[in-house]
Amino acid sequence: MIAKHVRQGWTSGPGRWAMGLLALVLGLSALIVAPLATPAQAAQDSPAAQAVHGRTFRVATDTTFAPFEFRDSSGDLVGIDMDLIRKIADIEGFSVQIQSLGFNAALQALNSQQADVVIAGMTITDQRKQVYDFTDPYFDSGVQMAIAKDNDQIHSYKDLRGSVVAVKTGSEGEAFAKQRAPQYGFSVKAVDQSSTMYEMVKSGNAQAVIDDYPVLAYGIAQGNGLKTVTKKEPGASYGAAVRKGENKEFVAAFNEGLAKMKADGSYKKLVDSYVGNSNSDKKTSASRPGFFELVRQAFPSLMLGLRNTLAITAISFVIALAIGIILGLWRISPNRILSWIARIYVAVFRGTPVLVWAFFFYLGVPQLIGHRISIWLAGALTLSLNSGAYLVEIVRGAIDSVDVGQMEGARSLGLTRRMALRRVILPQAVRIAMPSIINQLVIMLKDSSLLLAIGFGELLYQAQQIYAANFRVTETLFMVGVIYFVAISALTWMANMLDRRLHQ
Amino acid sequence: MNFEDPDMDTGRLTRRIRQNQSRRNQGESQMAVSIRDLHKRYGDTEVLKGIDMEVKPGEVISIIGPSGAGKSTLLRCINALETPTSGTINVYGIDISDPKTNIDKLREHVGMVFQHFNLFPNMSVADNIMLAPHMLHKTPKEDARQQALDLLETVGLQEKADARPTDLSGGQQQRVAIARALAMHPDIMLFDEATSALDPEMVGDVLEVIRSLAEGGMTMILVTHEMAFAREVSSRVIFTDAGIIEEEGTPEQIFGHPQSPRLQSFLSKVL
Ligand SMILES: Nc1ncnc2c1ncn2[C@@H]1O[C@H](COP(=O)(O)OP(=O)(O)OP(=O)(O)O)[C@@H](O)[C@H]1O
Ligand SMILES: [Mg+2]
């Protein structure tokens, strides 16, 4: 999600010009080189091909950015980027080792020499050209408007007066829409995901969307219920990137392969198979799968998501419980300092949203300490520190509600305060607090879905990845809802059983 | 509690208490409890207004008086559940408000029985009794349990060893509470209205246990509303009213020939 915003936010006009110029230069050099190499040698023996022959390049890409990279129903990574780089590797005689990392992670991998190439629907911009070298542009993007399939009122921007147009936050489409809104008298509503925009149009909350042309075209090809009535607005172009000054052989080979594919028509065929608006040769939408087929396809990644959700919840819960008990005891301690530490902790974490901490731990702290923080650590810190604050109050409340006579009874026997707390007060407090603790566990499991904002692969995140590729939003969300419900019901049932067992 | 002193040589206190007791046996007069000019105030209200009181070893003292007189407060000061505002309290010659005194250690020698029993519902009857000896005297589990069973037998509840306190009647719970206090072999027992929360038919069993303790020579201070019982078991009766000791004497003097008008009017109401 974030990756896309960054990508689209970087699109710029001058970049297009510079890129065009580069393309021209590279194209010319290819023209110069090619006559020298031919006719004596066969294609794979061109100098460019020779330079890369037998080599393996590590290619980093995004996780899901349909139609450029996404997983098909059998879980294979496909898309325009994937098909293209594999085909070019074939033609030029090198091999690729693809790593699906997410957009920002892919760039990081490239910077830190973990990868040689990034191909991820990446817009060629001036800023980026200062850091990377790009191949020839392999795809001309741009934005386009779409409306509901059954809408016959809107034929052009003029018909949008008084309508709501959905766009993606930070995208080229948003910039375009905002610029045209005063002229045509529509209002703009920015949301986070393409699939959300399409659902808004279908549900009547918006009358049109303006989105990246390839994403939109792919969605329509997938049967997302929209249609286009206007032409695409010219915009950015995509290229593959390497570290500046390195892997020049790759760039040359890629450009040569691309030129060949364009020349023999296989490039057009490949692109049309994803975004073509005719019914010809659609690789992924030959038939719209039924619900049970959808369940079958989504099942593996949803189960992976569920596993991650349960794992992060379990880890965080154990930490939160420890925090809750220890700081709960500090809170009631006669030691003023400990008691104030606990108070301040509770106030801070109850007074701030979970999401703020998720971003803080994942994006903020690494910049402070100069060391990256794993997403599991950031996620567990976020959930456990948040829940811990509530558990401190639960534990304190439960200890308070144990009859004072219990403490006096224990102390009158000569037990120390610490012994009395451990052997007499806490066991009773935990019993009293059990329903609230179980409740907090359920809240935590549900809150774990917020971690999708930092790209943690939990259940709802996996669902978003699925419907970002297949646009079956309603059905996918339904599945996720059922899984959450079953998981939470089972968890509650087990916790209650355990509670009863322990206290018989 | 501000008086905890975990570094104190705990053996020393015990030795001193035992020494003091043996001195008594040699004829020296050593008070079990000695209270001088005890004041206790809660905010603006003064609940105890200068109490002087002495309890000799082996004595059974009953404290009577109207509600709100400060009887519980006085009793709770003796084992430091309340901190006096001023005045001194000595238990077997040890000043309990001295910061160097280890209050936890002292409490091992002062058993207390509460109106509402205060048994621990999270453990069995036997575990309630074993807890303190096991944790503080490091008595092995088996020995502690055997002792618990013996104590339960003396209060007539041996068959309830593995029951939960909440499954017992009030009278049974209070007898368990007495057994629990006795398990630490206290030198003095404090009872704060031990029978007030009980159904009338339960009162007899509990009083029976207290009576046999008195007969066994246990030093005891009883806050009670059971006048007939006080008259029967006490060596001395103390009448408190409005934070002072209004009158004290033998049961005969207090119940047979009350002097002060307040005691007379109090007795006319309760008898
Ligand atoms: N923790 C406290 N804070 C404020 N006031 C208190 C506190 N404990 C007791 N008091 C007050 O002190 C006075 C004496 O209380 P205490 O419990 O000692 O009386 P009592 O003689 O035991 O009465 P009863 O026969 O009703 O038990 C009462 O007026 C009571 O309200
Ligand atoms: Mg009282």
Side-chain angles (χ1 to χ4, degrees), chain A residues 146-151 154 164-167 194-210 224-227:
Chain A
I147 56 174
K149 213 186 227 163
D150 53 9
N151 183 331
I154 298 172
V164 174
V165 174
V167 297
S194 290
S195 43
T196 313
M197 294 158 56
Y198 306 161
E199 294 307 303
M200 283 172 69
V201 170
K202 284 197 280 181
S203 62
N205 292 318
Q207 283 66 49
V209 300
I210 296 180
N224 69 357
L226 303 191
K227 67 178 179 190

Side-chain angles (χ1 to χ4, degrees), chain B residues 42 47 66-73 193 225:
Chain B
Y42 292 113
V47 176
S67 186
K71 305 183 297 291
S72 299
T73 307
E193 299 191 25
H225 287 239

Side-chain angles (χ1 to χ4, degrees), chain A residues 146 157 165 220 301 414:
Chain A
Y157 299 133
V165 174
I220 291 171
S301 45

Side-chain angles (χ1 to χ4, degrees), chain A residues 405-406 408-410 412-413 424, chain B residues 111-114 117-121 123 125-133 147 151-152 155 173-186 189:
Chain A
Q406 292 293 309
E408 292 188 342
S412 77
L413 293 166
V424 176
Chain B
M112 178 138 183
V113 175
F114 300 85
F117 333 130
N118 299 354
L119 292 179
F120 311 135
M123 46 185 97
V125 163
D127 287 339
N128 262 272
I129 300 172
M130 292 158 59
L131 181 66
Q147 186 203 2
L151 281 166
L152 282 173
V155 299
Q173 288 190 51
Q174 193 61 297
R175 283 183 279 155
V176 172
I178 295 172
R180 183 177 72 179
L182 291 174
M184 291 300 287
H185 304 298
M189 287 281 286

Side-chain angles (χ1 to χ4, degrees), chain A residues 30 33-53 91-94 249 252-257 260:
Chain A
V33 170
L36 288 175
T38 48
Q41 287 166 309
Q44 59 264 49
D45 296 323
S46 74
Q50 266 174 359
V52 295
H53 186 78
I91 294 170
E92 298 292 312
F94 62 89
E249 318 83 275
F254 184 95
N255 290 345
E256 187 181 78
K260 281 182 196 154

